[in-house]
Amino acid sequence: MGRPAKNSNEKPAELRMQEAFWKVLAEKPYTQMTVADIARASEVNKNTLCYHYECLDDLAKQCVNQELPIDIINKIASGKLPCELLTELDELNRAETLARLNLAIGPHGCGILAEFARNAALSLWFERFNLTESDLLPEEVIACRFVTSGMLSVFGVAEGLSPKEFISFVSSPLASSVISKTLEVLKTAQQRKENTESAR
């Protein structure tokens, strides 16, 4: 299978492999997925896949990270609670993202896919507050990981929910309270870091 001509309407190989990842994951668990499955579904040879990605986990990590609703995560980090985002979802198409995250974190996924999603979400929150994990106290790290894992696990049971129904689901008073407390933890860590830096 040769490389498509530059003026071809065929999708680039990298995009075809990413789409193939989700197609194959819908058909079988990640633990049973192979490089050959992706190569066959994307109509590329194994060498092409190995050129773009070091391994299957590398492709999976990129695919999962791309599906995170970055704008929503950033808005929540800015202090906007999930219930406040309901009115903004009318114009946003979230169904495919929700379905793909459900695949990654639900029954067809596995621990490593959930870990990719959790680490990417944590990185977004840390970046929003100009923090790294090393800026947090051990108990603050545990709290952030616990909350992020809990929020993402909801995706694993969200099959069939529309994006609005999902947001409503995570907008319960308990979820909103937990999110608010986590943001307080990050703000406290941010303030402590700023105070340390200004004291130098």
Side-chain angles (χ1 to χ4, degrees):
M1 287 172 254
R3 184 176 295 187
K6 288 187 178 178
N7 61 354
S8 170
N9 289 329
E10 188 174 7
K11 293 178 182 176
E14 194 170 4
L15 179 57
R16 295 200 321 267
M17 288 183 283
Q18 292 165 9
E19 291 176 349
F21 170 81
W22 294 112
K23 180 178 182 289
V24 174
L25 188 61
E27 297 168 355
K28 62 169 64 174
Y30 182 68
T31 53
Q32 296 174 16
M33 190 185 295
T34 66
V35 168
D37 291 330
I38 301 298
R40 188 169 37 256
S42 59
E43 298 182 349
V44 302
N45 60 44
K46 291 182 186 179
N47 291 338
T48 300
L49 197 147
C50 293
Y51 173 78
H52 288 280
Y53 301 100
E54 291 182 9
C55 59
L56 191 57
D57 283 353
D58 191 28
L59 169 62
K61 183 176 183 178
Q62 182 175 349
C63 289
V64 170
N65 290 359
Q66 285 176 342
E67 291 305 320
L68 285 178
I70 294 172
D71 57 333
I72 289 179
I73 291 171
N74 282 333
K75 285 176 182 177
I76 291 174
S78 298
K80 187 172 282 192
L81 294 176
C83 56
E84 298 177 274
L85 297 173
L86 283 171
T87 56
E88 299 179 22
L89 286 177
D90 290 333
E91 303 168 11
L92 302 175
N93 181 8
R94 302 285 174 184
E96 185 175 57
T97 289
L98 194 59
R100 286 179 169 182
L101 285 173
N102 175 260
L103 278 174
I105 300 170
H108 274 214
C110 67
I112 193 165
L113 299 186
E115 184 180 348
F116 290 156
R118 185 195 65 210
N119 289 343
L122 278 173
S123 293
L124 286 170
W125 278 30
F126 291 160
E127 184 179 313
R128 172 68 181 77
F129 288 92
N130 193 29
L131 295 167
T132 63
E133 191 168 301
S134 62
D135 294 317
L136 277 68
L137 301 174
E139 59 268 25
E140 293 171 336
V141 172
I142 291 169
C144 289
R145 286 183 171 273
F146 177 78
V147 170
T148 308
S149 296
M151 286 174 61
L152 287 171
S153 71
V154 174
F155 285 109
V157 296
E159 187 173 10
L161 290 180
S162 72
K164 280 197 165 189
E165 289 170 329
F166 170 75
I167 292 291
S168 293
F169 184 56
V170 296
S171 295
S172 67
L174 178 59
S176 294
S177 173
V178 168
I179 291 168
S180 294
K181 290 294 184 186
T182 306
L183 294 177
E184 285 178 23
V185 166
L186 292 169
K187 287 173 186 172
T188 299
Q190 181 186 40
Q191 188 62 56
R192 185 175 60 244
K193 180 181 179 180
E194 289 172 355
N195 291 343
T196 301
E197 289 174 349
S198 64
R200 288 179 183 163

